[in-house]
Every structure is written in C-alpha cells, then in structure tokens.
Amino acid sequence: MPRLVVVSNRVAIPDPTGKGSAGGLAVALREAFQAYQGLWFGWSGRVASQPSIEPKLVDKGNVHYALMDLTPIDRQEYYNGFANRALWPNMHYRLGLSEFSRADYAGYLRVNRSFANALSRMIRPDDLIWVHDYHLIPLAAELRALGVTNRIGYFHHIPWPAPEVFGTLPGSRELLRAIADYDLVGVQTDRDADNLRRAIVQEVGATQQGADVITLNGHQTRVKGFPIGIDVKGFQQVARRTPTHRVVKQTLASLGSRRLIIGVDRLDYSKGIPERMEAFERFLIANPDQRGHVTFLQIAPTSRSEVPEYASLSRTASETLGRINGTLGEPGWVPIHYVTSAYPRTVLASLYKIARVGLVTPMRDGMNLVAKEYVAAQNPEDPGVLILSKFAGAAQQLTDALIVNPNDKFEVAEAIRDALHMDREERIARWRRMMKTIQDYDVSWWAASFLKELTDYRGLSKARSRVPVRP
C-alpha cells in the first residue's frame, strides 16, 4: 500500500482534547487517511521571523503532520496578496476586485518553491501525492524540477473560470503550464473541467486527447470533475440528537410559531450576503402578510479581515442589515438576525433541521457543502426546502432544489414565497431525490474516486528541467 502525501495551505492537526469540530478539508481527508498511511504537509498557520527550512513534525498515529512556518512577508505576498487578492476574485468572476502585484506573485512562487524543497526530501518512491487548492497550483512543477516522478494529483476546491476570465490575470499562462505538470486534476463540476481544459489548449498550446486528457510537452494530464461530498451518515446522526446547545434552545424559544429561513456562509463577497438580505427584503415588501411570521437567520463568521475588500464587505452587510431591520421591523419582531460567530456542526445541524427554508445563494461557488448539509439534516417526514444559486457547483447535482439566479432579487424573493407555501408531499419528494444524490456521492466516494483514478493513472510522466516562472 503506497503512502498518501497530502499537501494543503493549512494543516488541520486533530484537537488533543477530542473536542474539535473539524470541517471542510479536514473532514474530507479523514476518509482518505483511513485507507492509507499518511503524511500531511503545509503551513502551520504560524508567522515567524525566519522561514522554515525543515518542517516541524507531529506524529498522530497513522498520520504524520509536517508544518512549515511563514515569515510576515511570505504571508502577505503569498497568502493575503496573490492567493486571496488576485487568484480568489478572478476565479469567482470578480475581475474588478482582482489586484495583481508582481511582488505578491513572486512571493507566491517563492513559497511554493520553498514548500517543494522541503517536501521533496520527505517523499518516498511509491508515495501518492495529493495537492489541494489554488494556493499551491505551481507545486507539481516545482517538484518535477527537483526530480520527483511520483504520481501527483491536484484538487481545485473553488470554481475554475472561463478561459477569457482567467486569461485577464497576469501570469495566467505560466500557471496553466504549471498545472499541466500534475497527472490528475480534479475540479468540482464538469463545467469547471471544460473551462480548464479549454484554457490549457487555447493559451499554452496543449492538445486534447479524448474527453478529458490534455498533453503538453509530452506529459499527459487528466482533468475531470469530482464533486466533493459530505459525511452524510455522520451529519444525520448529529441532526437527530436532541438539541442541548444554548443557541438552539434560544432560537426555538424566540421563534415561537414563526418559520425560520437560514443562511450559513463565511463572510466573503462570493457568497452574496448583502444581496440575499435584499432579496428577503423584497419578499417581505411583496408579501406583507408574512411580516412577523417568518425570520431570516444569517450566520456569517468573519474571515480575512485584514484584506481591505473584506472589511468593506462587513460594513456593507451591517449597513444593509440595519436599514432592513429599521425599515421593516416591528415591536417584538426583527426580520433578520445576523450572527458573526462560528458554530460547531452540532449546532448548525440542529438549526438546519428546524429551518423551513435553506437559503444558499452564492454569487459563485465551487460546490457549497452547506446546501448538502441542509438536505442531510432534514426531518424525512417534514423536510424543509432548499433554495440554491445556479452558480453554485451543488446546483449541478441538487436539481430538485429551487434553483435561482442570485443576481435577481425578485426571483429569489419569489422562490422564498414558493418554498414557504410548498405542500408537504412535494417537499418530501424533492428531498428524497436530493438525499439519494448526496448519499451516492458522499465524501467517501469523493476521496476514493479521486485516489483510485490517481492510482490507476497510466499517463506519460517524466521529470523535466525547470523553466523558471518569473513574476
């Protein structure tokens, strides 16, 4: 059995107290590590005055963790700069927010090179290497330049935009050449896969062979959709528990006979939170009989607050909230409750279960696991209704949700009305079909499918002399 080497921007070490509520990538990779001995390599999250030359090693049984510190300038250029102020907005189609800096790009390449140098000394000949997300696109190219010939896979968790969008980013051609050094590239949807294949062919002269293989400089890369799933059984078990958390009890008490609409997102401009509030406002204006009978709870933990665009978004969300509550609120009823705290999945599962409507309307999203968690948490005898943006990857799978254009506040408002009035028989039928989908394509399927494809890979892979990627 080969060893699995996972590389990601951040490394999630298990909480020694056992109380941690790991989510996202940590939950997904836990499934993969059950079948392999593992090494998880990446940034420790710490900023130090001197960069790491060798990683700090932490042994946790079947998985070893290798942690690299970054310097303040590394963090600023690689993480806050190029990754989150250039790549992230570009890949979410927010070209007006994408800010390119040569210094940031140089820092992004420098950190990837540093990671590759440290990791290459730890790799065994039969290791499977699985790299995650947009922070580390050049990593395979750096490893190949150091003579690493192992099979290397990459999974891109966020959208991959159309070639004409990605092509607006300086350095995009170099990044496309670099991503072609992976043996297998996984994305969330077939649309993302098509966008990436077309970009590599059109921009850097690769040739396409068959449905999903491209060849560049004698190296074959397979680009496919692997929609990420959730731990459905685990989430269902959590949702079935009797709610004991203070937040859930207070929510139930404050609702009374009112129906709950819920949105859960990290505070990010890709999530469309102010636009969602305005759509709910439009619903209340168009349906005055619903005032006082429905409450919208938006949970939006703050993130990347040091990035100016996120501070501006926080102000916009607060101003929108204040205007709507001030204009439409009544004594004893506040239309929108807005919370910036992060809650463990035990709390979220209970809140999803009592919510008649799950409002998941990002402006653009790779997948959006909140949509799948909302479905998994529902009472089979009386499920709620999912309203889902057509620009979320999950919309490609959960076609029985009410699919909406998040840019159209009237359309979202009408979907809220339809969801609240939908009869139980239709709600159950829609829920059953969505539930089957998320069970068939859960997180175990995702990890096993990707790794089987990488293990079975028979492409033409070889190490090549490094062509410098210059900022």
Side-chain angles (χ1 to χ4, degrees), residues 49-126:
S49 58
Q50 296 297 321
S52 295
I53 304 300
E54 298 291 337
K56 175 186 176 183
L57 300 179
V58 178
D59 186 357
K60 292 288 183 179
N62 203 42
V63 180
H64 301 273
Y65 298 85
L67 310 174
M68 298 283 285
D69 294 341
L70 297 181
T71 64
I73 193 66
D74 285 341
R75 184 175 188 271
Q76 178 56 41
E77 294 175 346
Y78 150 80
Y79 181 73
N80 288 336
F82 188 73
N84 289 322
R85 297 194 72 182
L87 275 177
W88 176 274
N90 177 280
M91 290 181 166
H92 287 86
Y93 289 75
R94 298 299 296 268
L95 300 186
L97 296 177
S98 184
E99 294 191 8
F100 178 83
S101 156
R102 290 283 171 185
D104 289 346
Y105 187 34
Y108 177 79
L109 299 176
R110 181 181 65 248
V111 170
N112 272 269
R113 195 169 303 138
S114 171
F115 279 12
N117 285 331
L119 179 61
S120 65
R121 295 189 286 270
M122 307 177 72
I123 291 173
R124 302 171 185 169
D126 62 346

Coordinates of all heavy atoms in Angstrom, one line a residue, residues 49-126:
S49 N 9.8 35.0 12.4 CA 10.7 35.9 11.9 C 11.6 35.3 10.8 O 12.1 36.0 9.8 CB 11.6 36.5 13.0 OG 12.3 35.5 13.6
Q50 N 11.9 34.0 10.9 CA 12.7 33.3 9.9 C 11.9 32.2 9.3 O 11.1 31.5 9.9 CB 14.0 32.7 10.6 CG 14.9 33.7 11.2 CD 15.5 34.6 10.1 OE1 15.9 34.2 9.0 NE2 15.7 35.9 10.5
P51 N 12.0 32.0 7.9 CA 11.3 31.0 7.3 C 11.7 29.6 7.7 O 12.9 29.4 8.1 CB 11.5 31.2 5.8 CG 12.9 31.9 5.8 CD 12.9 32.7 7.0
S52 N 10.8 28.6 7.6 CA 11.2 27.2 7.9 C 12.1 26.7 6.8 O 11.8 26.9 5.6 CB 9.9 26.4 8.0 OG 9.2 26.8 9.2
I53 N 13.1 26.0 7.1 CA 13.9 25.2 6.2 C 13.4 23.8 6.2 O 13.2 23.2 5.2 CB 15.4 25.3 6.5 CG1 15.8 26.8 6.5 CG2 16.2 24.6 5.4 CD1 15.6 27.6 5.2
E54 N 13.3 23.3 7.4 CA 12.7 21.9 7.6 C 11.4 22.0 8.3 O 11.3 22.9 9.2 CB 13.7 21.1 8.4 CG 15.1 20.9 7.7 CD 15.0 20.0 6.5 OE1 14.0 19.2 6.4 OE2 15.9 20.1 5.6
P55 N 10.4 21.2 8.0 CA 9.2 21.3 8.7 C 9.2 20.7 10.1 O 10.1 19.9 10.4 CB 8.2 20.4 7.8 CG 9.2 19.5 7.1 CD 10.5 20.2 6.9
K56 N 8.4 21.2 11.0 CA 8.2 20.6 12.3 C 7.3 19.4 12.1 O 6.2 19.5 11.5 CB 7.5 21.6 13.2 CG 7.2 21.1 14.6 CD 6.4 22.1 15.4 CE 6.0 21.5 16.8 NZ 5.2 22.4 17.6
L57 N 7.7 18.3 12.7 CA 7.0 17.0 12.5 C 6.1 16.7 13.8 O 6.6 16.9 14.9 CB 7.9 15.9 12.3 CG 8.8 16.0 11.0 CD1 9.7 14.8 10.9 CD2 7.9 16.2 9.8
V58 N 4.9 16.4 13.6 CA 4.0 16.0 14.6 C 3.4 14.6 14.3 O 2.8 14.4 13.2 CB 2.8 17.0 14.8 CG1 1.9 16.5 15.9 CG2 3.4 18.4 15.1
D59 N 3.5 13.7 15.2 CA 3.1 12.3 14.9 C 1.7 12.1 15.6 O 1.6 12.2 16.8 CB 4.1 11.3 15.5 CG 3.8 9.9 15.1 OD1 2.7 9.6 14.5 OD2 4.6 9.0 15.5
K60 N 0.7 11.7 14.8 CA -0.6 11.4 15.3 C -1.1 10.0 14.8 O -2.0 9.9 14.1 CB -1.6 12.5 14.9 CG -1.4 13.8 15.5 CD -1.7 13.9 17.0 CE -1.5 15.2 17.6 NZ -1.9 15.3 19.0
G61 N -0.3 9.0 15.2 CA -0.7 7.7 14.9 C -0.5 7.4 13.4 O 0.6 7.4 12.9
N62 N -1.6 7.1 12.7 CA -1.5 6.7 11.3 C -1.1 7.9 10.4 O -0.7 7.7 9.2 CB -2.8 6.2 10.8 CG -2.7 5.3 9.6 OD1 -1.8 4.4 9.6 ND2 -3.6 5.4 8.7
V63 N -1.2 9.1 10.9 CA -0.9 10.3 10.1 C 0.2 11.1 10.7 O 0.2 11.4 11.9 CB -2.1 11.2 9.8 CG1 -1.8 12.4 9.0 CG2 -3.3 10.3 9.2
H64 N 1.2 11.5 9.9 CA 2.3 12.4 10.4 C 2.0 13.8 9.8 O 1.6 13.9 8.6 CB 3.6 11.9 10.0 CG 3.9 10.5 10.5 ND1 4.5 10.3 11.7 CD2 3.7 9.3 10.0 CE1 4.6 9.0 11.9 NE2 4.2 8.3 10.9
Y65 N 2.2 14.8 10.6 CA 2.0 16.2 10.1 C 3.3 16.9 10.0 O 4.1 16.9 10.9 CB 1.0 16.9 11.1 CG -0.3 16.2 11.2 CD1 -0.5 15.2 12.0 CD2 -1.4 16.7 10.4 CE1 -1.8 14.6 12.1 CE2 -2.6 16.0 10.4 CZ -2.8 15.0 11.3 OH -4.0 14.4 11.4
A66 N 3.5 17.6 8.9 CA 4.8 18.3 8.6 C 4.4 19.8 8.4 O 3.7 20.1 7.5 CB 5.5 17.8 7.4
L67 N 4.8 20.6 9.3 CA 4.3 22.0 9.4 C 5.4 23.0 9.1 O 6.5 23.0 9.7 CB 3.8 22.3 10.8 CG 2.8 21.3 11.4 CD1 2.5 21.6 12.8 CD2 1.6 21.2 10.5
M68 N 5.2 23.9 8.2 CA 6.1 25.0 7.8 C 5.6 26.3 8.3 O 4.4 26.6 8.1 CB 6.2 25.0 6.2 CG 6.8 23.7 5.6 SD 8.5 23.6 5.8 CE 9.1 24.8 4.6
D69 N 6.5 27.1 8.9 CA 6.1 28.5 9.3 C 6.4 29.4 8.1 O 7.3 29.2 7.2 CB 7.0 28.9 10.5 CG 6.7 28.1 11.7 OD1 5.6 27.5 11.8 OD2 7.5 28.2 12.6
L70 N 5.7 30.5 8.0 CA 5.9 31.5 7.1 C 6.4 32.8 7.7 O 6.1 33.0 8.9 CB 4.6 31.9 6.3 CG 4.0 30.8 5.5 CD1 2.7 31.3 4.8 CD2 4.9 30.2 4.4
T71 N 7.1 33.6 7.0 CA 7.5 34.9 7.5 C 6.4 35.9 7.3 O 5.5 35.6 6.5 CB 8.8 35.4 6.8 OG1 8.5 35.6 5.4 CG2 9.9 34.4 6.9
P72 N 6.4 37.1 7.9 CA 5.4 38.1 7.7 C 5.3 38.4 6.2 O 4.2 38.6 5.7 CB 5.8 39.3 8.5 CG 6.6 38.6 9.7 CD 7.3 37.5 9.0
I73 N 6.4 38.6 5.5 CA 6.3 39.0 4.1 C 5.8 37.8 3.2 O 5.1 38.0 2.3 CB 7.7 39.4 3.6 CG1 7.6 40.1 2.2 CG2 8.7 38.3 3.5 CD1 6.8 41.4 2.3
D74 N 6.1 36.6 3.6 CA 5.6 35.4 2.9 C 4.1 35.4 3.0 O 3.3 35.2 2.0 CB 6.1 34.1 3.5 CG 7.5 33.8 3.2 OD1 8.0 34.4 2.2 OD2 8.1 33.0 3.9
R75 N 3.6 35.6 4.2 CA 2.1 35.6 4.5 C 1.4 36.7 3.7 O 0.4 36.5 3.1 CB 1.8 35.7 5.9 CG 0.3 35.6 6.3 CD 0.1 35.6 7.8 NE -1.2 35.3 8.2 CZ -2.2 36.3 8.3 NH1 -1.9 37.5 8.1 NH2 -3.4 35.9 8.6
Q76 N 2.1 37.9 3.7 CA 1.4 39.0 3.0 C 1.4 38.8 1.5 O 0.4 39.0 0.8 CB 2.2 40.3 3.3 CG 1.7 41.5 2.6 CD 0.2 41.8 2.8 OE1 -0.3 41.6 4.0 NE2 -0.5 42.1 1.8
E77 N 2.5 38.3 0.9 CA 2.6 38.2 -0.5 C 1.9 36.9 -1.1 O 1.1 37.0 -2.0 CB 4.1 38.2 -1.0 CG 4.7 39.6 -0.7 CD 6.2 39.6 -1.0 OE1 6.8 38.5 -1.2 OE2 6.8 40.7 -1.1
Y78 N 2.2 35.8 -0.4 CA 1.7 34.5 -0.9 C 0.2 34.3 -0.6 O -0.6 34.0 -1.5 CB 2.6 33.4 -0.3 CG 1.9 32.1 -0.1 CD1 1.6 31.2 -1.1 CD2 1.4 31.7 1.2 CE1 1.0 30.0 -0.9 CE2 0.8 30.5 1.4 CZ 0.6 29.6 0.4 OH 0.0 28.4 0.6
Y79 N -0.1 34.6 0.7 CA -1.5 34.3 1.1 C -2.5 35.5 0.9 O -3.4 35.4 0.2 CB -1.4 33.8 2.6 CG -2.8 33.5 3.1 CD1 -3.4 32.3 2.7 CD2 -3.5 34.3 4.0 CE1 -4.6 31.9 3.2 CE2 -4.7 33.9 4.5 CZ -5.3 32.8 4.1 OH -6.6 32.4 4.6
N80 N -2.2 36.6 1.7 CA -3.1 37.7 1.6 C -3.1 38.3 0.2 O -4.1 38.8 -0.3 CB -2.8 38.8 2.6 CG -3.2 38.4 4.0 OD1 -4.0 37.5 4.2 ND2 -2.5 38.9 5.0
G81 N -1.9 38.3 -0.4 CA -1.7 39.0 -1.7 C -2.1 38.2 -2.9 O -3.3 38.3 -3.3
F82 N -1.3 37.4 -3.5 CA -1.6 36.8 -4.7 C -2.8 35.8 -4.6 O -3.7 35.8 -5.4 CB -0.4 36.1 -5.4 CG -0.7 35.6 -6.8 CD1 -0.8 36.6 -7.8 CD2 -0.8 34.3 -7.0 CE1 -1.0 36.1 -9.1 CE2 -1.1 33.9 -8.3 CZ -1.2 34.8 -9.4
A83 N -2.7 35.0 -3.6 CA -3.8 33.9 -3.5 C -5.1 34.5 -3.3 O -6.1 34.2 -4.0 CB -3.4 33.0 -2.3
N84 N -5.2 35.5 -2.4 CA -6.6 36.0 -2.0 C -7.0 37.3 -2.5 O -8.1 37.7 -2.4 CB -6.7 36.0 -0.4 CG -6.8 34.6 0.1 OD1 -7.4 33.7 -0.5 ND2 -6.1 34.3 1.2
R85 N -6.0 38.1 -3.1 CA -6.4 39.3 -3.8 C -6.3 39.3 -5.3 O -6.7 40.2 -5.9 CB -5.6 40.5 -3.2 CG -5.8 40.7 -1.7 CD -5.2 42.0 -1.3 NE -6.1 43.2 -1.7 CZ -5.7 44.4 -1.5 NH1 -4.6 44.7 -0.8 NH2 -6.5 45.4 -1.9
A86 N -5.7 38.2 -5.8 CA -5.6 38.1 -7.3 C -6.3 36.8 -7.7 O -7.3 36.9 -8.5 CB -4.2 38.1 -7.7
L87 N -5.9 35.7 -7.3 CA -6.5 34.4 -7.7 C -7.9 34.3 -7.3 O -8.8 33.9 -8.1 CB -5.7 33.2 -7.2 CG -4.4 32.8 -8.0 CD1 -3.7 31.7 -7.3 CD2 -4.8 32.4 -9.4
W88 N -8.2 34.4 -6.0 CA -9.6 34.2 -5.5 C -10.6 35.0 -6.2 O -11.6 34.5 -6.7 CB -9.6 34.4 -4.0 CG -11.0 34.3 -3.4 CD1 -11.9 35.3 -3.3 CD2 -11.6 33.1 -2.8 NE1 -13.1 34.8 -2.7 CE2 -12.9 33.5 -2.4 CE3 -11.1 31.8 -2.6 CZ2 -13.7 32.5 -1.8 CZ3 -11.9 30.9 -2.0 CH2 -13.2 31.3 -1.6
P89 N -10.5 36.4 -6.3 CA -11.5 37.1 -7.0 C -11.6 36.8 -8.5 O -12.7 36.7 -9.1 CB -11.1 38.6 -6.8 CG -9.7 38.5 -6.4 CD -9.5 37.2 -5.7
N90 N -10.5 36.5 -9.1 CA -10.5 36.1 -10.6 C -11.3 34.9 -10.7 O -12.2 34.8 -11.7 CB -9.1 36.0 -11.1 CG -9.0 35.5 -12.5 OD1 -9.2 34.3 -12.8 ND2 -8.8 36.4 -13.4
M91 N -11.1 33.9 -9.9 CA -11.7 32.6 -10.1 C -13.2 32.6 -9.7 O -14.0 31.7 -10.0 CB -11.0 31.5 -9.3 CG -9.6 31.2 -10.0 SD -8.7 29.9 -9.2 CE -7.4 29.6 -10.5
H92 N -13.6 33.7 -9.0 CA -15.0 33.9 -8.7 C -15.7 34.9 -9.6 O -16.7 35.5 -9.2 CB -15.2 34.2 -7.2 CG -14.9 33.1 -6.3 ND1 -13.7 32.7 -5.8 CD2 -15.8 32.1 -5.7 CE1 -13.8 31.6 -5.1 NE2 -15.1 31.3 -5.0
Y93 N -15.0 35.2 -10.7 CA -15.5 36.1 -11.7 C -15.7 37.6 -11.2 O -16.5 38.4 -11.7 CB -16.9 35.6 -12.2 CG -16.8 34.4 -13.1 CD1 -16.6 33.2 -12.5 CD2 -16.9 34.5 -14.5 CE1 -16.5 32.0 -13.3 CE2 -16.9 33.4 -15.3 CZ -16.6 32.1 -14.7 OH -16.5 31.0 -15.5
R94 N -14.9 38.0 -10.2 CA -14.9 39.3 -9.7 C -13.7 40.1 -10.1 O -12.8 40.4 -9.4 CB -15.0 39.3 -8.1 CG -16.3 38.6 -7.6 CD -17.6 39.3 -8.1 NE -17.7 40.7 -7.5 CZ -18.3 41.0 -6.4 NH1 -18.8 40.0 -5.7 NH2 -18.3 42.2 -6.0
L95 N -13.7 40.3 -11.4 CA -12.5 40.9 -12.0 C -12.2 42.3 -11.5 O -11.0 42.7 -11.4 CB -12.6 41.0 -13.5 CG -12.8 39.6 -14.2 CD1 -12.8 39.8 -15.8 CD2 -11.7 38.6 -13.8
G96 N -13.2 43.1 -11.1 CA -13.0 44.4 -10.6 C -12.3 44.4 -9.2 O -11.7 45.4 -8.8
L97 N -12.3 43.2 -8.5 CA -11.7 43.1 -7.2 C -10.3 42.4 -7.3 O -9.6 42.4 -6.3 CB -12.6 42.4 -6.2 CG -13.9 43.0 -5.9 CD1 -14.7 42.1 -5.0 CD2 -13.7 44.3 -5.2
S98 N -9.9 41.9 -8.4 CA -8.7 41.2 -8.6 C -7.5 42.2 -8.7 O -7.5 43.0 -9.7 CB -8.7 40.3 -9.8 OG -7.5 39.5 -9.9
E99 N -6.6 42.2 -7.8 CA -5.5 43.1 -7.8 C -4.2 42.3 -7.9 O -3.8 41.5 -7.0 CB -5.4 43.9 -6.5 CG -6.6 44.9 -6.3 CD -6.4 45.9 -5.2 OE1 -5.3 45.9 -4.6 OE2 -7.4 46.6 -4.9
F100 N -3.5 42.6 -9.0 CA -2.2 41.8 -9.3 C -1.0 42.7 -8.9 O -1.0 43.9 -9.2 CB -2.1 41.5 -10.8 CG -0.8 40.8 -11.1 CD1 -0.7 39.4 -10.9 CD2 0.2 41.5 -11.6 CE1 0.5 38.8 -11.2 CE2 1.4 40.9 -12.0 CZ 1.5 39.5 -11.8
S101 N -0.1 42.1 -8.2 CA 1.2 42.7 -7.8 C 2.3 41.8 -8.2 O 2.3 40.6 -7.9 CB 1.2 43.0 -6.3 OG 2.5 43.2 -5.8
R102 N 3.3 42.3 -8.9 CA 4.5 41.5 -9.2 C 5.2 41.0 -7.9 O 5.7 39.8 -7.9 CB 5.5 42.3 -10.0 CG 5.0 42.6 -11.4 CD 5.1 41.4 -12.3 NE 4.5 41.6 -13.6 CZ 4.4 40.7 -14.6 NH1 4.9 39.5 -14.3 NH2 3.8 40.9 -15.7
A103 N 5.2 41.8 -6.9 CA 5.8 41.4 -5.7 C 5.1 40.2 -5.0 O 5.6 39.2 -4.5 CB 6.0 42.5 -4.7
D104 N 3.7 40.3 -5.0 CA 2.9 39.3 -4.5 C 3.1 38.0 -5.3 O 3.1 36.9 -4.7 CB 1.4 39.7 -4.5 CG 1.1 40.7 -3.5 OD1 2.0 41.0 -2.6 OD2 0.0 41.4 -3.6
Y105 N 3.1 38.1 -6.6 CA 3.3 36.9 -7.5 C 4.6 36.2 -7.2 O 4.7 35.0 -7.1 CB 3.1 37.3 -8.9 CG 3.1 36.2 -9.9 CD1 2.5 35.0 -9.6 CD2 3.7 36.3 -11.2 CE1 2.5 33.9 -10.5 CE2 3.7 35.3 -12.1 CZ 3.1 34.1 -11.8 OH 3.1 33.0 -12.7
A106 N 5.7 37.1 -7.0 CA 7.0 36.5 -6.7 C 6.9 35.8 -5.4 O 7.5 34.7 -5.2 CB 8.0 37.6 -6.7
G107 N 6.2 36.3 -4.4 CA 6.1 35.7 -3.1 C 5.3 34.4 -3.2 O 5.7 33.4 -2.5
Y108 N 4.3 34.3 -4.0 CA 3.5 33.1 -4.2 C 4.4 32.0 -4.8 O 4.4 30.9 -4.3 CB 2.4 33.5 -5.2 CG 1.5 32.3 -5.6 CD1 0.5 31.8 -4.7 CD2 1.6 31.7 -6.8 CE1 -0.4 30.8 -5.1 CE2 0.8 30.7 -7.3 CZ -0.2 30.3 -6.4 OH -1.1 29.3 -6.8
L109 N 5.2 32.3 -5.8 CA 6.1 31.3 -6.4 C 7.2 30.9 -5.4 O 7.6 29.8 -5.3 CB 6.7 31.9 -7.6 CG 5.7 32.3 -8.8 CD1 6.5 32.9 -9.9 CD2 5.0 31.0 -9.2
R110 N 7.7 31.9 -4.6 CA 8.7 31.6 -3.6 C 8.3 30.6 -2.6 O 9.0 29.7 -2.2 CB 9.2 32.9 -3.0 CG 10.3 32.8 -2.0 CD 10.7 34.1 -1.4 NE 9.7 34.7 -0.5 CZ 9.0 35.8 -0.8 NH1 9.3 36.4 -1.9 NH2 8.1 36.2 0.0
V111 N 7.1 30.8 -2.0 CA 6.6 29.9 -1.0 C 6.3 28.5 -1.6 O 6.7 27.5 -0.9 CB 5.3 30.5 -0.4 CG1 4.7 29.5 0.5 CG2 5.6 31.7 0.5
N112 N 5.8 28.5 -2.8 CA 5.6 27.1 -3.4 C 6.9 26.4 -3.6 O 7.1 25.2 -3.4 CB 4.9 27.3 -4.7 CG 3.4 27.2 -4.6 OD1 2.7 26.2 -4.7 ND2 2.7 28.4 -4.3
R113 N 8.0 27.2 -4.0 CA 9.3 26.6 -4.2 C 9.9 26.1 -2.9 O 10.5 25.0 -2.8 CB 10.2 27.7 -4.8 CG 11.5 27.1 -5.4 CD 12.2 28.2 -6.3 NE 11.3 28.6 -7.3 CZ 11.1 29.9 -7.7 NH1 11.8 30.9 -7.1 NH2 10.3 30.2 -8.6
S114 N 9.7 26.9 -1.8 CA 10.2 26.5 -0.5 C 9.5 25.3 0.0 O 10.1 24.4 0.5 CB 9.9 27.7 0.5 OG 10.2 27.3 1.8
F115 N 8.1 25.2 -0.2 CA 7.4 24.0 0.2 C 7.9 22.8 -0.6 O 8.1 21.7 0.0 CB 5.9 24.2 -0.1 CG 5.2 25.0 1.0 CD1 5.8 25.6 1.9 CD2 3.8 25.0 0.9 CE1 5.1 26.4 2.9 CE2 3.1 25.7 1.9 CZ 3.8 26.4 2.9
A116 N 8.2 23.0 -1.9 CA 8.6 21.8 -2.7 C 10.0 21.4 -2.3 O 10.3 20.1 -2.2 CB 8.7 22.2 -4.2
N117 N 10.9 22.3 -1.9 CA 12.2 21.9 -1.5 C 12.2 21.1 -0.2 O 12.8 20.1 -0.1 CB 13.1 23.1 -1.3 CG 13.5 23.8 -2.6 OD1 13.7 23.1 -3.6 ND2 13.7 25.1 -2.6
A118 N 11.3 21.5 0.7 CA 11.2 20.8 2.0 C 10.5 19.4 1.8 O 10.9 18.4 2.4 CB 10.5 21.6 3.0
L119 N 9.5 19.4 1.0 CA 8.7 18.2 0.8 C 9.5 17.2 0.0 O 9.4 16.0 0.3 CB 7.4 18.5 0.1 CG 6.4 17.4 -0.2 CD1 6.0 16.7 1.1 CD2 5.2 17.8 -1.0
S120 N 10.2 17.6 -1.0 CA 10.9 16.6 -1.8 C 11.9 15.7 -1.0 O 12.1 14.6 -1.4 CB 11.7 17.4 -2.9 OG 12.8 18.1 -2.3
R121 N 12.4 16.2 0.1 CA 13.3 15.4 0.9 C 12.5 14.4 1.7 O 13.2 13.5 2.3 CB 14.1 16.3 1.8 CG 15.1 17.2 1.0 CD 16.0 18.0 1.9 NE 15.4 19.0 2.7 CZ 15.3 20.3 2.3 NH1 15.8 20.7 1.1 NH2 14.7 21.2 3.0
M122 N 11.2 14.5 1.8 CA 10.4 13.5 2.6 C 9.7 12.5 1.8 O 9.1 11.6 2.3 CB 9.4 14.3 3.4 CG 10.0 15.5 4.2 SD 8.7 16.4 5.1 CE 8.2 15.2 6.3
I123 N 9.7 12.6 0.4 CA 8.9 11.8 -0.4 C 9.6 10.5 -0.7 O 10.8 10.4 -1.0 CB 8.7 12.5 -1.8 CG1 7.7 13.7 -1.5 CG2 8.1 11.6 -2.8 CD1 7.5 14.6 -2.7
R124 N 8.9 9.4 -0.6 CA 9.3 8.1 -0.9 C 8.9 7.7 -2.4 O 8.0 8.3 -2.9 CB 8.7 7.0 0.0 CG 9.0 7.3 1.5 CD 8.2 6.4 2.4 NE 8.3 6.7 3.8 CZ 7.5 6.2 4.8 NH1 6.6 5.3 4.4 NH2 7.7 6.5 6.0
P125 N 9.6 6.8 -3.0 CA 9.4 6.5 -4.4 C 8.0 6.1 -4.8 O 7.5 6.4 -5.9 CB 10.4 5.3 -4.7 CG 11.5 5.5 -3.7 CD 10.8 6.0 -2.5
D126 N 7.3 5.4 -3.8 CA 5.9 5.0 -4.2 C 4.8 5.8 -3.6 O 3.6 5.4 -3.6 CB 5.7 3.5 -3.8 CG 5.9 3.3 -2.2 OD1 6.4 4.3 -1.6 OD2 5.5 2.2 -1.7

